[in-house]
Amino acid sequence: MCYVCLAECSAPCTFTLGVDGESSPGNELSFTVRQWVESMTVECTARNNVSMEASVTTKRVQVLAGPANVSITGPELVVPGGKQRFLCHASCRPSCNFTWRFGSRWLGGHGNEISITAQKLAEKRILTCKAINSVSGLYAMASMSKNVAYGPSDVTIEGPDYVRLGKEATFWCYAECSPSCAYLWLVDGHTMEGQKLSYMAITISDRTKSDKILCEAQNIVSGKGKLATKTVSLEGSHGKSMAPQAELTLGLLLFALTLVSVILL
């Protein structure tokens, strides 16, 4: 910073110029602020070399700093069901004003704190804070991308439609989830955990009937769950449904009984 002291003198004047009590001869002063202080006082003394009369004037200088170290704090993962609170931090002297950008819009009037619904964050996940020095107008920005918990959706069970009695079959449960889902199976009144299910049909007494396999996907953060159901039928030794085989066996038995009756007559 550079300062010049001027005075009206009828005879030549001698100048002394200094900052906060430390002065040096001359009417020009240049210095660098090494650390922040709220303000500094520049003092100039002009002395008439003939009359030796002196006049002193001072100037108060406000020291500005920042914005620097701008950052945003808030939840690492956004959970649906309410507003999420975020804070903007910055080093500013004397102070900073703050504005926020969400998507393409700048939102004023929130100060260094803003609350946004999870639904809006899911649509536009980039949140930006601008810190503006209240005196100099200089600014700096910080942005953050948010992970939003969503799902489960599109829950499906993949695996065979037919299983053999006493033979193990494998099923998988899938769902759209963020950050991830836990999986719970319900088969024959029993529950099992995990995305993979190893299933063995051993409890169906009537082979003409089918069994149902249920899978629940549950978001590990929000706790929200959703079910999927798959119907599994028993198959015979040739890979066909047992229901048509039962009908064929019954038909052959009736035919045989009819043929025996005719022979006996």
Side-chain angles (χ1 to χ4, degrees):
M1 291 183 287
C2 182
Y3 295 87
V4 177
C5 185
L6 303 174
E8 292 184 359
C9 295
S10 58
C13 274
T14 300
F15 293 89
T16 302
L17 194 58
V19 179
D20 290 342
E22 297 183 6
S23 59
S24 59
N27 72 326
E28 291 188 11
L29 176 66
S30 296
F31 63 93
T32 301
V33 179
R34 299 298 181 185
Q35 64 182 27
W36 184 85
V37 291
E38 185 175 349
S39 64
M40 306 177 76
T41 302
V42 179
E43 182 178 285
C44 174
T45 301
R47 186 179 302 275
N48 190 299
N49 290 339
V50 176
S51 66
M52 300 305 292
E53 292 181 0
S55 179
V56 179
T57 186
T58 60
K59 182 179 181 68
R60 183 176 179 271
V61 179
Q62 189 174 19
V63 180
L64 307 180
N69 304 321
V70 183
S71 64
I72 300 173
T73 58
E76 292 296 324
L77 184 67
V78 176
V79 181
K83 290 187 175 182
Q84 310 296 317
R85 178 173 171 262
F86 298 91
L87 294 171
C88 188
H89 308 272
S91 298
C92 292
R93 302 294 183 178
S95 63
C96 263
N97 298 320
F98 297 88
T99 60
W100 297 83
R101 184 173 66 191
F102 187 55
S104 59
R105 294 180 54 200
W106 284 101
L107 309 173
H110 293 274
N112 74 323
E113 179 180 335
I114 192 170
S115 295
I116 304 174
T117 62
Q119 181 179 357
K120 291 182 178 179
L121 280 171
E123 298 168 356
K124 303 171 184 177
R125 301 185 184 185
I126 304 298
L127 186 63
T128 301
C129 168
K130 179 193 286 187
I132 309 165
N133 191 292
S134 59
V135 177
S136 69
L138 296 174
Y139 68 88
M141 295 188 294
S143 297
M144 71 186 314
S145 177
K146 300 310 301 174
N147 293 319
V148 180
Y150 63 87
S153 61
D154 301 326
V155 183
T156 57
I157 299 174
E158 292 189 5
D161 294 326
Y162 297 96
V163 294
R164 290 189 179 184
L165 194 65
K167 185 177 181 180
E168 189 175 274
T170 300
F171 297 88
W172 291 87
C173 191
Y174 297 98
E176 289 290 332
C177 281
S178 177
S180 62
C181 267
Y183 297 89
L184 184 68
W185 296 88
L186 178 62
V187 183
D188 295 332
H190 301 284
T191 58
M192 289 152 281
E193 296 180 350
Q195 192 175 13
K196 177 183 176 182
L197 171 69
S198 295
Y199 168 78
M200 184 178 294
I202 58 175
T203 60
I204 302 177
S205 58
D206 186 348
R207 295 186 178 184
T208 64
K209 291 185 179 181
S210 301
D211 201 359
K212 284 188 177 181
I213 296 176
L214 280 76
C215 171
E216 181 186 27
Q218 188 176 71
N219 191 296
I220 62 172
V221 174
S222 67
K224 182 180 178 182
K226 193 171 184 179
L227 282 172
T229 304
K230 183 177 180 66
T231 300
V232 179
S233 300
L234 289 174
E235 70 174 23
S237 60
H238 301 291
K240 297 180 181 179
S241 170
M242 291 298 295
Q245 284 194 350
E247 293 177 1
L248 179 60
T249 302
L250 181 61
L252 289 175
L253 180 60
L254 290 174
F255 175 76
L257 290 174
T258 303
L259 184 60
V260 171
S261 299
V262 171
I263 293 173
L264 292 176
L265 291 174

